[in-house]
Amino acid sequence: MLQLEFQNITIQFPPLIISGISLVIIFLLYRWSKELEVRRFTVFLYFLISTYITPLYTHFKENDSLFQLLFPLGFVIVLIYLFANKKNHPAKLKASLLGFAVAVYQLIQQYSGFTP
């Protein structure tokens, strides 16, 4: 992690691999948004909604530890909406699948306890 320290201010940047992946995601979303004729920003909304994860089940153990069963609810909602709507575009489906990949990464990060 890169840190820039000034007098009483510290700016922290994410690791280089996370920054690179973020740039690739933004590039792909921008490219897919060009495929739409109107309302190009909806690709970004589909991506953001698809990344939402929520706990389905929570269990407290005797030793004050917490277990949560997490589920990518945002992706399921977007998928149901896309298939119920007759005007779905392949770019919106690609963006929601990319959001699902980010949601799976968040799930792995939550369960393994790994934070870059």
Side-chain angles (χ1 to χ4, degrees), residues 20-115:
I21 290 171
S22 300
L23 289 174
V24 168
I25 287 173
I26 291 171
F27 172 74
L28 286 173
L29 290 174
Y30 178 72
R31 198 170 105 199
W32 293 335
S33 71
K34 284 184 171 181
E35 295 176 11
L36 297 175
E37 292 148 7
V38 292
R39 295 180 20 172
R40 293 182 176 183
F41 66 92
T42 55
V43 171
F44 296 98
L45 290 176
Y46 281 96
F47 170 75
L48 287 176
I49 294 170
S50 295
T51 60
Y52 179 69
I53 57 174
T54 186
L56 284 181
Y57 174 74
T58 303
H59 178 72
F60 290 99
K61 296 181 182 177
E62 299 88 29
N63 56 359
D64 293 334
S65 63
L66 173 69
F67 172 75
Q68 287 185 333
L69 181 63
L70 299 170
F71 184 72
L73 184 65
F75 175 71
V76 172
I77 290 171
V78 168
L79 204 61
I80 290 170
Y81 178 76
L82 278 175
F83 288 119
N85 193 2
K86 294 180 179 160
K87 296 180 182 179
N88 57 354
H89 195 276
K92 294 177 182 178
L93 184 61
K94 290 181 212 174
S96 63
L97 287 173
L98 187 61
F100 179 66
V102 171
V104 168
Y105 174 75
Q106 289 176 351
L107 289 172
I108 293 170
Q109 198 174 25
Q110 286 280 347
Y111 285 131
S112 69
F114 175 72
T115 55

